[in-house]
Amino acid sequence: MSRNSHIENILGPSLYEIVLTSRVLVVGAGGIGCELLKNLVLSGFRLIELVDLDTIDLSNLNRQFLFQKQHIKKSKAHVAKESALKFNPNVEIISHHANIKDPQFNVDWFKRFNIVMNALDNLEARRYVNSMCLAANVPLVESGTEGYLGQVTVIKKDMTECYDCQPKPMRKTYAVCTIRSTPISPIHCIVWAKSYLFSQLFGISEEEEDSPIQESNSENAEEIENLREETEALKQIRLAMGTSEYPRKVFQKVFTEDIQRLLMMEDMWKTRQRPVPLKYEDLEQIPCEGEDEIETNDSNTLKNQRTWSLRENFDVFIRSLKSLSARLLEEQKIKPDALLSFDKDDSDALNFVTATSNLRARIFGIEEKSIFQVKAMAGNIIPAIATTNAVIAGIIVIQSFNILKGRLDECKTIYLDGVRRPNLLPSESLKTPNLNCAVCRNSHFILKINTKVATLRDFVEKILCNHNIGGLDYGDVTVEEGASLLYDVEYDDNLDVTFEQLKITDGKLIRVTSEEDQSNHEPAIFAISHRESFNSPNDWYEIEGEVLGISSPNTKDQDFKPAPTLKRKLEAYAELEETSSALKRVQLDSEIIVPDDEIIMTEYGLDEQSDDKSGFS
Amino acid sequence: MEFFNNQNPHLTEDEAELYDRQIRLWGIEAQQRMRNSNILIVGMRGLSNEVCKNLVLAGVGAVTILDYQIVTEEDFGAQFFLRVEDLGKNRAIAAAVRVRELNPRVAVTAETDNLLLQSEEFLQKFDVICLTNCDISTLIKADNLCRKFEKKFYAASAHGLFGYIFCDLKQHEYIVERKEIKSGREDPEVKRTKKYLEYVSLGTALSKNDWSAVPFRKLRKVSPLLWANQILWKFQEIEGRLPIQDEDKDFAKLKSLRDTYLPSMGVEPSLLANELLSIISRNLNAELSPVCAIVGGILAQDILKGLSQKDLPINNFFFYNGLDGSGLVYQVEPEKAIF
């Protein structure tokens, strides 16, 4: 009997064998990641890679159990690995303290895995991994948790919806007049303090793309003009940073003069409560309470959960303004264009935002908030506990077993919400891809090329236009990378620039759309893999992907994969008929059965090159 | 190290920082209640590793781990609190070392004497008693003792791809919070409602024999694990042990129990197919980490709900089925609807 005896008995010899030899990637070593790594290491997996760019923080320790106090500030990925090895030393874990978007994790790197599991907490990284898994054609288990809620789903190219098939909710934005002129709620004051005042005084300008303050055309044009003048005036005052007069000047501008200016707009206050400006001299004269007196008797309330008095807000405003100003000026001595950005764990910044937000709230008769509450709202804190992450991570592994034994039909989207009865884990069948998805409804190729030497012209004129890829005669094309247009019929400035100079390197994806007869030609996505040399001296690129049976002198024989003929394609579908209705929908609903000259192909285990263990065996 | 019987009954600033992300979810009051609680976990295998981890991370006051058995090779397969050098040591003592490291603020004690379970004096100390991988007669006795002393009782087990949880919370008061968004204000108002549940003992639950009153279309959808569990317990009651894997005679007994015992409760035996019964009755002694994680996570969260008296707890059975991924809750009580 060994440590794996029970595991082998439960999984059965054939699945156990697959698990032993599967290489898995875990993206993220936080709440879900720690639990997931533990489960994998105790389920027979022996080849695990783990990527996380973060370091350990005290607030992680209530749930990320592979970390303890002595690990604070160290790399999550490395410490997670060390902790896991303690309870199973017989596993190979490769940990990367890095960003999953780093070029070293290119599409070839992703292809090495039999399965990828996300344990992320942000949209951007999820999108990125989704794209890479589509490009590499590796199954992806996607998951997320928030408080008591959690969910797990499976993404497999051409078989299921990808992460971007359904639109994701946009970040909350606020109209500029609500923030700058007519706030109603505490959050409006906090956004003002963080994204307007803090930014104007210390940091990035509000014209930044990801500011939550949005201008719209329907706003009062006169008011917009007034606000612009106000911002300009504040910029002028900023020049006095560091002087003893600075706090008074800032205070008088934003809490007195700007409010007096607003009061002159009579119409604005016809139905709204009029704001009451604060006067610096008045606040200076409020008596200071001693520390002991302001401690409440109710020891149930923690220090940071108490709302401050007007005098306290005033004092904290001045103190934090001086601290932040001094810090910025110091940094500017070394780097003249230095800026400070808001960080919820920076106590000066948090104090500043809390105090100024409360002063503004006082002016407008809005409820004031404690620093505990402001931290959550300004810092976008998501409450998190160990149990939700533990359950979700367990579900991820159970789903992985189904994927690895080739039973995608047994995978589902599973939810956890704790309140539902009788099913605590409601589930839905996986959905077929959204036919209009700009991300997954593409032909995916891997382009191996010397990015230092090859130019865009080489790509457009020699690879795309003269070479029939997948039977599509690309003709006139549009080439994009992310949101940038690289080339189209009217924009040829970049043709003689190298890939590297255009920043199209490892990890990048370029999208090619044919201008000709759009309806029959699917866009193609090329995942870039930098190569300095190829097997034969005459070759300068290689393409992997759905290539129809047309060879070219430019590709190596072994990279050339004859695509299954239509007849073989239909045989593959016939096999699928026997599996469940979820898969049947793939054939029937998504119109994948298409005329002969189309190349929409998926790899139904007919591709020997890729280690597609998730084929239907 | 701060022990749970320290002078300050209230949360310290340090604790507030550590537990920040969970206080923002369930509030300071709930955290305080957890912090002042004392929990007994019986049986320290994969499932209890998970439960202990979750409770200790949450910051309960004290946890006592009771196990009379010693660590064997197979234990390393699902127990992350064990280290290679623990082979041959008592399971509770070995694990307790690492449980303490997880959160030094929680007082962790290891006990190795199974007879303690019959000691009223011993059991009185605890607020919650949770028995894992225990036989049915032990469960019934312990539950009855808990009823006598008004302690919250949980029983659970994870084996193969399956797991169950049973709760007996006696008379349980709890509150439910609902966020209502009032028009004009962006901040939702929190509405608190007081609720009350009355639980039955395990013995009473298992005595339910009016299943025929449940409409068949509903009964058909009930997790077959409910029936399987009852049959396995019946087998254990009669034979004094669990069925042995691949032992034909045992399987024949299980089938015959199904065919006689279930109908006596008003349940159609066909609701538990041979194949499923066979799969469930294999690997009764074997744990798989992800299943322990799922059942352990749900169990620990329910214990925390019970302690904090916040949110609807499980009433009274939960079944996890790794074959179809379902996690179903049923109220198994004579004369009551199951959900």
Side-chain angles (χ1 to χ4, degrees):
Chain A
M1 292 300 247
S2 79
R3 65 184 305 140
N4 280 1
S5 302
H6 287 163
I7 301 170
E8 187 175 354
N9 282 337
I10 296 171
L11 297 183
S14 94
L15 177 57
Y16 179 64
E17 191 56 39
I18 293 173
V19 164
L20 278 183
T21 53
S22 290
R23 187 177 286 277
V24 308
L25 169 64
V26 177
V27 190
I32 297 177
C34 282
E35 293 284 338
L36 184 52
L37 184 61
K38 171 254 300 165
N39 291 340
L40 291 171
V41 149
L42 294 177
S43 299
F45 290 90
R46 286 196 307 206
L47 305 166
I48 304 171
E49 270 188 71
L50 180 60
V51 180
D52 195 308
L53 47 63
D54 222 351
T55 53
I56 298 161
D57 180 72
L58 175 61
S59 65
N60 300 146
L61 302 185
N62 80 319
R63 64 203 183 277
Q64 298 173 23
F65 81 103
L66 295 178
F67 313 139
Q68 269 129 52
K69 239 184 169 157
Q70 66 268 26
H71 299 130
I72 291 177
K73 294 240 168 35
K74 299 202 172 145
S75 148
K76 285 191 178 182
H78 294 328
V79 177
K81 165 189 169 169
E82 292 309 320
S83 300
L85 287 176
K86 289 203 179 127
F87 49 84
N88 188 350
N90 310 329
V91 184
E92 183 193 302
I93 304 177
I94 304 173
S95 55
H96 304 274
H97 182 193
N99 189 333
I100 193 65
K101 294 170 90 161
D102 287 351
Q104 57 175 311
F105 307 128
N106 66 3
V107 64
D108 285 325
W109 183 83
F110 269 87
K111 281 187 70 141
R112 291 158 54 243
F113 300 103
N114 301 102
I115 191 164
V116 175
M117 303 170 193
N118 270 349
L120 291 165
D121 61 1
N122 70 94
L123 195 83
E124 206 194 304
R126 284 187 169 112
R127 280 215 161 107
Y128 181 80
V129 176
N130 177 59
S131 297
M132 291 308 269
C133 288
L134 290 170
N137 197 11
V138 175
L140 170 63
V141 186
E142 176 55 72
S143 64
T145 60
E146 190 173 320
Y148 296 121
L149 307 176
Q151 91 182 65
V152 181
T153 191
V154 174
I155 295 172
K156 174 82 169 78
K157 184 175 105 129
D158 295 332
M159 304 301 295
T160 72
E161 277 189 337
C162 82
Y163 187 71
D164 282 320
C165 278
Q166 297 294 342
K168 296 290 179 288
M170 295 300 299
R171 248 176 35 136
K172 174 101 190 183
T173 57
Y174 302 89
V176 66
C177 285
T178 311
I179 301 300
R180 298 283 307 275
S181 314
T182 53
I184 318 172
S185 303
I187 187 67
H188 301 150
C189 302
I190 294 168
V191 170
W192 175 88
K194 174 189 169 192
S195 306
Y196 170 67
L197 188 62
F198 185 95
S199 299
Q200 285 303 322
L201 294 179
F202 309 110
I204 332 149
S205 74
E206 86 185 276
E207 286 102 62
E208 268 286 329
E209 249 182 76
D210 49 359
S211 166
I213 307 174
Q214 295 293 324
E215 277 185 29
S216 85
N217 294 332
S218 57
E219 308 277 7
N220 182 341
E222 185 195 345
E223 181 57 13
I224 299 281
E225 192 44 46
N226 287 335
L227 294 177
R228 274 209 193 106
E229 283 171 17
E230 261 178 26
T231 310
E232 270 314 303
L234 189 60
K235 283 196 171 116
Q236 289 303 308
I237 291 176
R238 187 176 162 163
L239 299 171
M241 188 180 295
T243 64
S244 57
E245 275 302 290
Y246 189 50
R248 177 192 288 266
K249 281 191 166 157
V250 173
F251 186 100
Q252 276 173 338
K253 174 85 183 75
V254 299
F255 296 125
T256 320
E257 290 161 19
D258 287 351
I259 308 300
Q260 285 165 342
R261 202 273 304 159
L262 277 177
L263 282 169
M264 294 194 310
M265 321 266 301
E266 286 296 329
D267 285 343
M268 205 175 259
W269 311 110
K270 277 212 175 105
T271 51
R272 295 186 179 102
Q273 182 184 338
R274 297 171 78 83
V276 179
L278 294 172
K279 293 235 171 66
Y280 189 90
E281 297 76 17
D282 292 347
L283 266 59
E284 256 189 319
Q285 278 161 33
I286 301 176
C288 294
E289 300 106 341
E291 268 288 304
D292 298 326
E293 285 157 48
I294 55 182
E295 284 296 331
T296 64
N297 286 328
D298 177 8
S299 29
N300 239 13
T301 307
L302 296 162
K303 215 167 58 185
N304 64 357
Q305 291 200 4
R306 190 177 56 76
T307 35
W308 295 335
S309 66
L310 182 57
R311 176 73 209 218
E312 281 175 296
N313 281 314
F314 180 69
D315 288 337
V316 173
F317 161 70
I318 295 182
R319 240 187 4 244
S320 57
L321 179 66
K322 284 184 178 163
S323 274
L324 291 165
S325 306
R327 193 198 309 168
L328 182 57
L329 289 170
E330 271 306 305
E331 288 185 20
Q332 282 175 342
K333 282 184 190 159
I334 306 165
K335 191 169 164 262
D337 57 356
L339 300 167
L340 298 181
S341 57
F342 177 81
D343 177 355
K344 67 182 187 300
D345 295 313
D346 172 356
S347 54
D348 286 331
L350 184 59
N351 277 332
F352 180 83
V353 169
T354 304
T356 52
S357 164
N358 282 341
L359 288 169
R360 185 169 177 82
R362 177 68 60 118
I363 287 169
F364 285 90
I366 296 171
E367 187 193 341
E368 294 167 45
K369 292 289 183 185
S370 69
I371 200 170
F372 179 80
Q373 293 165 310
V374 174
K375 187 174 185 184
M377 291 189 266
N380 296 314
I381 294 181
I382 296 177
I385 51 178
T387 54
T388 311
N389 288 330
V391 175
I392 291 305
I395 294 174
I396 293 173
V397 176
I398 301 286
Q399 299 252 48
S400 306
F401 292 144
N402 291 331
I403 295 171
L404 290 171
K405 64 183 184 190
R407 298 303 304 267
L408 196 68
D409 57 314
E410 281 177 2
C411 294
K412 303 193 172 112
T413 298
I414 299 184
Y415 301 92
L416 169 68
D417 81 356
V419 180
R420 296 249 219 141
R421 298 288 186 270
N423 201 347
L424 285 187
L425 302 173
S427 61
E428 277 171 8
S429 305
L430 298 176
K431 300 199 171 69
T432 53
N434 177 354
L435 292 179
N436 296 318
C437 180
V439 175
C440 71
R441 296 291 81 220
N442 299 293
S443 310
H444 282 94
F445 298 99
I446 296 174
L447 173 62
K448 299 179 206 205
I449 198 163
N450 188 332
T451 61
K452 296 182 183 166
V453 169
T455 62
L456 195 55
R457 187 186 296 277
D458 292 331
F459 181 61
V460 172
E461 292 178 5
K462 295 179 195 162
I463 298 179
L464 287 181
C465 298
N466 285 344
H467 172 81
N468 287 351
I469 296 177
L472 290 179
D473 195 340
Y474 270 89
D476 286 341
V477 293
T478 300
V479 180
E480 297 161 290
E481 187 273 307
S484 312
L485 175 66
L486 296 173
Y487 167 83
D488 72 15
V489 210
E490 279 154 34
Y491 175 58
D492 56 4
D493 297 11
N494 291 328
L495 277 181
D496 293 307
V497 183
T498 64
F499 272 56
E500 189 186 48
Q501 287 166 328
L502 287 170
K503 301 217 169 61
I504 313 170
T505 48
D506 275 324
K508 291 286 162 76
L509 300 167
I510 44 181
R511 192 158 188 263
V512 175
T513 342
S514 172
E515 299 293 314
E516 335 246 305
D517 192 1
Q518 298 270 1
S519 58
N520 269 346
H521 291 61
E522 287 222 327
I525 292 200
F526 292 82
I528 305 301
S529 177
H530 173 75
R531 285 275 199 280
E532 307 248 332
S533 66
F534 299 84
N535 290 335
S536 146
N538 287 333
D539 289 345
W540 56 279
Y541 74 90
E542 283 168 21
I543 289 198
E544 255 181 57
E546 298 96 321
V547 181
L548 271 187
I550 299 167
S551 63
S552 142
N554 286 334
T555 56
K556 280 296 293 183
D557 275 357
Q558 62 208 59
D559 284 333
F560 162 73
K561 293 191 321 263
T565 61
L566 187 60
K567 179 166 181 281
R568 282 166 75 188
K569 195 161 62 173
L570 289 178
E571 277 168 2
Y573 287 129
E575 271 168 41
L576 288 182
E577 293 267 60
E578 274 129 46
T579 55
S580 82
S581 54
L583 281 180
K584 270 197 183 148
R585 285 191 351 225
V586 170
Q587 308 153 54
L588 305 172
D589 298 359
S590 66
E591 299 162 17
I592 279 185
I593 302 177
V594 289
D596 295 12
D597 58 355
E598 286 291 346
I599 61 130
I600 301 155
M601 275 307 303
T602 59
E603 291 163 13
Y604 298 121
L606 297 167
D607 171 9
E608 284 97 272
Q609 268 218 332
S610 88
D611 284 330
D612 187 355
K613 292 228 161 79
S614 59
F616 305 105
S617 47
Chain B
M1 277 229 276
E2 287 169 54
F3 290 100
F4 107 103
N5 52 357
N6 80 24
Q7 248 94 57
N8 188 356
H10 296 291
L11 225 59
T12 64
E13 295 292 336
D14 277 345
E15 286 170 313
E17 222 188 316
L18 173 64
Y19 301 133
D20 181 85
R21 296 300 186 266
Q22 62 199 41
I23 291 174
R24 289 180 189 278
L25 185 62
W26 52 53
I28 277 238
E29 229 180 274
Q31 186 63 48
Q32 212 99 268
R33 294 218 177 123
M34 292 170 196
R35 186 185 180 276
N36 296 330
S37 62
N38 195 350
I39 303 166
L40 171 65
I41 311 266
V42 178
M44 191 58 168
R45 293 179 65 210
L47 175 60
S48 5
N49 268 229
E50 290 284 343
V51 177
C52 274
K53 156 178 65 78
N54 295 333
L55 292 178
V56 164
L57 287 174
V60 297
V63 172
T64 298
I65 307 168
L66 171 66
D67 197 321
Y68 68 95
Q69 302 199 348
I70 57 168
V71 178
T72 62
E73 279 282 353
E74 298 97 311
D75 285 327
F76 296 132
Q79 295 175 40
F80 49 86
F81 282 131
L82 294 179
R83 302 290 177 263
V84 184
E85 60 267 22
D86 292 333
L87 200 60
K89 291 189 195 159
N90 171 274
R91 281 206 295 234
I93 293 179
V97 177
R98 319 279 150 36
V99 177
R100 283 181 199 108
E101 284 169 11
L102 214 51
N103 188 350
R105 297 170 189 286
V106 180
V108 179
T109 316
E111 297 284 0
T112 62
D113 183 3
N114 230 30
L115 290 176
L116 284 171
L117 270 184
Q118 294 164 28
S119 154
E120 297 183 4
E121 193 195 329
F122 176 70
L123 293 178
Q124 291 249 43
K125 299 192 282 190
F126 303 104
D127 303 299
V128 171
I129 292 166
C130 177
L131 271 62
T132 66
N133 299 306
C134 286
D135 64 282
I136 185 65
S137 63
T138 305
L139 291 179
I140 303 256
K141 279 191 207 132
D143 183 26
N144 288 336
L145 269 176
C146 284
R147 294 211 131 230
K148 190 170 167 193
F149 299 114
E150 313 225 344
K151 307 293 177 190
K152 310 236 179 264
F153 175 83
Y154 295 84
S157 178
H159 53 92
L161 292 172
F162 313 102
Y164 84 88
I165 298 170
F166 169 79
C167 320
D168 180 4
L169 308 185
K170 327 286 174 303
Q171 283 79 39
H172 185 70
E173 246 179 50
Y174 65 101
I175 46 165
V176 173
E177 280 178 359
R178 230 171 295 274
K179 290 204 167 107
E180 280 179 4
I181 301 185
K182 292 242 143 97
S183 57
R185 292 171 45 121
E186 282 209 27
D187 287 356
E189 198 183 287
V190 174
K191 202 167 166 212
R192 293 161 71 111
T193 323
K194 243 195 187 151
K195 301 227 173 186
Y196 179 81
L197 279 176
E198 182 112 23
Y199 284 75
V200 296
S201 72
L202 181 56
T204 305
L206 294 178
S207 74
K208 181 180 174 80
N209 60 4
D210 57 351
W211 288 101
S212 49
V214 179
F216 190 69
R217 53 168 173 76
K218 219 181 187 184
L219 203 62
R220 229 175 21 154
K221 293 199 190 140
V222 168
S223 172
L225 296 182
L226 172 47
W227 318 129
N229 231 46
Q230 302 229 25
I231 290 172
L232 286 168
W233 272 336
K234 208 64 194 172
F235 183 102
Q236 197 174 47
E237 215 181 281
I238 297 171
E239 306 287 336
R241 60 176 172 85
L242 285 172
I244 296 167
Q245 191 163 317
D246 296 329
E247 179 58 59
D248 291 338
K249 279 195 246 170
D250 278 355
F251 190 61
K253 279 193 194 134
L254 279 177
K255 281 194 283 188
S256 120
L257 266 176
R258 174 198 58 192
D259 297 335
T260 55
Y261 180 50
L262 288 186
S264 75
M265 299 185 333
V267 180
E268 211 12 85
S270 63
L271 288 177
L272 180 56
N274 280 348
E275 206 198 323
L276 188 59
L277 180 59
S278 165
I279 296 173
I280 292 171
S281 58
R282 302 170 70 73
N283 297 313
L284 286 170
N285 214 29
E287 288 179 309
L288 190 63
S289 166
V291 176
C292 293
I294 294 167
V295 180
I298 289 176
L299 173 53
Q301 193 52 45
D302 227 71
I303 291 176
L304 293 172
K305 276 186 200 167
L307 290 171
S308 62
Q309 293 186 269
K310 213 169 165 219
D311 298 326
L312 173 70
I314 289 172
N315 179 10
N316 51 358
F317 267 102
F318 166 83
F319 295 100
Y320 176 71
N321 183 341
L323 290 177
D324 63 11
S326 65
L328 295 154
V329 175
Y330 300 114
Q331 184 176 356
V332 178
E333 205 180 305
E335 288 160 43
K336 285 265 161 71
I338 42 171
F339 57 86

